[in-house]
């Protein structure tokens, strides 16, 4: 059964109940499939505030744009699924030609496998013995399952080898050596000499197979086009040096991977410079935040701002909250707070106000803070805002928006809810 069939079947049969914020109280007991078939309107169909919505049209636009971008630049694409942890979106990305899905921790891998994902790139070192035992079982049971993860230390290699050996693993785990993006960066070996030590350790472990190199350019200290490009060229040079050392002689292809959501234009440019190696190269891009994009952090950092001829992503999230207090002419409060909105990088942006079915721009309204369950609004004299109004807000940093909502309505331009996205954090 295809991944999208597994997702559709599993979600359609799930019951709507108290677990899911914002959904109509009178939908209690319906399956998601039954509720979807009703095609209710977000504003008149009984949904309660706060409620997070995804634009159907913008979601489709973003999926299509990154598909064509990857094709144009000769890149394989494994979007980072930890952004959404939504198997329906995984399935749509795979339908759009994605090589596989990138994840960060064992729980996320288990979710993806439950929903039929057959290629997973774990952008992390995996040293948990229990998780490695489970992984060994998955690889042994399914010959079509491809799994690749980081290694960034000799100690990590030793822990992986010991756990996989104790599990009696019959298939080696594919690993890529992670090159850190600088001394002040996050994970990864800091020097090429360390990378060679790690590669030697992998070569000595029959439970592991070295298949390439990887890293994350978003952690380059004081990142700029110049510093990111310089690090990416170090990564490519490391791949070439590994190839010269003969470590890839028995492989069908080698892997080089990078690419968050802020510098994938630099990744595309440098990966295009990769010289001919002894084996074909899988150039794996991992950008994930594109799927919903945002109205804050990535809106300003997206590479499409630097290369506008490539197209433009569109923010697909809108959080709807209701004004519950208007204590003065300068202040108002909504019923959406930290439990509902991403706030780790930027506060939500008030965009539209809806009253009696009429929508208008949120002129003179600024979100100044979030409490647990209240949004603080500052209102200037031109703001027309009253208790009961719905305020539509754009969000920053999608990675911390999806995790607050387990079932998200996907809304068409006229307000019709056409589907629901289930998350698993």
């Amino acid at each position: 059964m295809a991944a999208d069939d597994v997702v559709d079947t599993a979600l359609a049969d799930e019951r709507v109940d108290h677990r899911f914020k914002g959904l109509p109280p009178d939908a209690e007991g319906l399956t998601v499939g039954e509720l979807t078939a009703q095609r209710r309107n977000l504003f008149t169909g009984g949904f309660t505030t706060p409620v997070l919505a995804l634009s159907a049209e913008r979601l489709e636009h973003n999926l299509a744009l990154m598909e064509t971008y990857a094709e144009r630049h000769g890149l394989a694409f494994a979007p980072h699924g930890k952004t959404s942890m939504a198997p329906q979106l995984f399935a749509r990305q795979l339908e759009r030609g994605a090589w596989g899905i990138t994840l960060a921790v064992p729980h996320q891998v288990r979710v993806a496998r439950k929903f039929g994902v057959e290629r997973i790139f774990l952008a992390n070192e995996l040293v948990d013995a229990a998780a490695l035992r489970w992984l060994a079982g998955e690889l042994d049971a399914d010959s079509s399952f491809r799994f690749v993860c980081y290694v960034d230390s000799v100690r990590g290699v030793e822990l992986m080898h010991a756990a996989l050996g104790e599990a009696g693993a019959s298939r080696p785990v594919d690993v890529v050596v992670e090159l850190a993006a600088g001394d002040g960066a996050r994970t990864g070996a800091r020097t090429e000499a360390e990378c060679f030590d790690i590669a030697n350790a992998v070569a000595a472990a029959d439970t592991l197979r070295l298949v390439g190199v990887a890293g994350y350019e978003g952690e380059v200290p004081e990142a700029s086009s110049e510093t990111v490009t310089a690090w990416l060229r170090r990564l490519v040079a490391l791949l070439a040096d590994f190839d010269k050392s003969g470590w890839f002689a028995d492989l069908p292809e080698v892997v080089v991977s990078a690419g968050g959501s802020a510098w994938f234009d630099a990744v595309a440019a440098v990966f295009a410079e990769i010289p001919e190696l002894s084996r074909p190269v899988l150039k794996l891009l991992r950008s994930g935040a594109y799927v919903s994009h945002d109205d804050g952090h990535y809106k300003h950092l997206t590479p499409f701002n630097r290369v506008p001829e490539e197209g433009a992503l569109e923010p697909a999230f809108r959080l709807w909250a209701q004004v519950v207090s208007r204590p003065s002419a300068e202040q108002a409060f909504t019923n959406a707070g930290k439990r509902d909105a991403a706030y780790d990088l930027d506060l939500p942006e008030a965009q539209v106000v809806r009253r009696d079915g009429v929508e208008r721009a949120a002129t003179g309204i600024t979100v100044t803070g979030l409490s647990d369950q209240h949004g603080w609004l500052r209102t200037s004299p031109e703001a027309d805002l009253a208790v009961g109004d719905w305020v539509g807000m754009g969000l920053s940093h999608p990675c911390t928006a999806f995790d607050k909502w387990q079932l998200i309505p996907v809304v068409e331009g006229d307000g019709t809810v056409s589907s629901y996205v289930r998350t698993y954090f």
Side-chain angles (χ1 to χ4, degrees):
M1 185 179 289
D4 53 345
D5 294 331
V6 175
V7 173
D8 289 344
T9 300
L11 182 61
D13 293 337
E14 187 159 16
R15 295 285 173 185
V16 175
D17 58 25
H18 60 278
R19 292 171 295 164
F20 304 124
K21 300 190 294 184
L23 298 193
D26 65 353
E28 176 89 16
L30 295 177
T31 66
V32 174
E34 291 167 342
L35 181 58
T36 300
Q38 293 180 358
R39 291 180 62 82
R40 297 197 187 194
N41 186 282
L42 184 72
F43 307 108
T44 62
F47 291 83
T48 63
T49 56
V51 60
L52 180 67
L54 271 170
S55 163
E57 294 83 2
R58 292 185 171 196
L59 185 61
E60 175 61 24
H61 169 84
N62 292 343
L63 289 165
L65 182 64
M66 284 303 290
E67 177 189 22
T68 57
Y69 182 88
E71 289 176 350
R72 187 181 306 125
H73 292 281
L75 301 169
F77 191 32
H80 213 317
K82 57 89 178 173
T83 298
S84 69
M85 281 308 296
Q88 288 156 287
L89 297 184
F90 297 172
R92 292 183 66 175
Q93 289 166 321
L94 293 168
E95 288 169 1
R96 288 287 190 173
W99 172 91
I101 299 297
T102 296
L103 297 163
V105 293
H107 156 71
Q108 296 170 356
V109 177
R110 291 182 61 201
V111 170
R113 287 298 290 160
K114 179 70 174 178
F115 289 94
V117 178
E118 294 195 340
R119 290 176 178 166
I120 294 174
F121 186 98
L122 186 73
N124 224 339
E125 187 168 63
L126 180 58
V127 294
D128 185 299
L132 286 163
R133 287 194 297 271
W134 172 85
L135 175 63
E138 284 289 295
L139 288 168
D140 291 349
D142 184 356
S143 61
S144 65
F145 176 35
R146 176 109 194 253
F147 177 87
V148 182
C149 72
Y150 284 175
V151 286
D152 82 342
S153 65
V154 172
R155 170 65 173 164
V157 170
E158 293 169 348
L159 290 171
M160 291 186 73
H161 180 57
L164 292 167
E166 290 174 4
S170 63
R171 285 179 63 190
V173 172
D174 287 350
V175 297
V176 288
V177 174
E178 183 193 7
L179 175 67
D183 289 339
R186 196 167 57 192
T187 56
R190 266 40 182 175
T191 68
E192 281 76 0
E194 290 177 87
C195 290
F196 269 82
D197 289 342
I198 295 163
N200 278 314
V202 172
D206 59 3
T207 58
L208 303 175
R209 183 174 71 158
L210 181 65
V211 298
V213 299
Y216 174 44
E217 75 291 340
E219 288 293 324
V220 171
E222 300 180 5
S224 66
S225 293
E226 293 74 23
T227 57
V228 167
T229 296
W231 176 81
L232 286 163
R233 287 181 173 149
R234 281 182 63 199
L235 185 70
V236 167
L238 180 65
L239 180 73
D241 287 344
F242 276 11
D243 187 56
K244 291 174 186 175
S245 298
W247 278 319
F248 303 143
D250 299 326
L251 299 179
E253 66 181 7
V254 297
V255 177
V256 59
S257 181
S261 294
W263 295 102
F264 55 76
D265 56 331
V267 174
V270 174
F271 280 9
E273 301 172 358
I274 294 176
E276 185 174 348
L277 302 181
S278 65
R279 294 292 179 268
V281 180
L282 182 74
K283 304 172 184 178
L284 198 59
L285 183 69
R286 305 195 306 270
S287 312
Y290 83 98
V291 69
S292 61
H293 198 40
D294 69 4
D295 280 292
H297 183 69
Y298 287 114
K299 180 178 181 178
H300 303 296
L301 290 179
T302 174
F304 291 117
N305 291 341
R306 296 187 289 272
V307 283
E309 64 273 15
E310 298 263 25
L313 293 169
E314 297 178 353
F317 270 136
R318 180 161 282 174
L319 176 64
W320 289 96
Q322 202 162 17
V323 177
V324 293
S325 181
R326 189 77 160 101
S328 73
E330 295 80 29
Q331 197 172 37
F333 292 86
T334 69
N335 60 352
K338 293 179 181 179
R339 310 300 184 205
D340 313 297
Y343 62 93
D344 59 318
L345 294 179
D346 301 297
L347 289 170
E349 175 187 89
Q351 296 176 332
V352 294
V353 175
R354 188 177 181 90
R355 182 190 300 165
D356 299 328
V358 177
E359 203 168 287
R360 63 183 186 280
T363 304
I365 303 171
T366 304
V367 180
T368 59
L370 295 174
S371 299
D372 285 351
Q373 208 59 69
H374 286 97
W376 295 60
L377 306 184
R378 182 177 66 245
T379 55
S380 60
E382 66 267 32
D384 178 13
L385 195 64
V387 169
D389 289 350
W390 284 38
V391 179
M393 294 173 283
L395 300 179
S396 177
H397 201 196
C399 299
T400 55
F402 278 102
D403 64 349
K404 301 178 189 303
W405 296 84
Q406 290 186 297
L407 197 60
I408 305 171
V410 179
V411 183
E412 297 175 354
D414 64 357
T416 300
V417 177
S418 57
S419 63
Y420 296 82
V421 166
R422 179 74 157 94
T423 65
Y424 293 85
F425 283 93

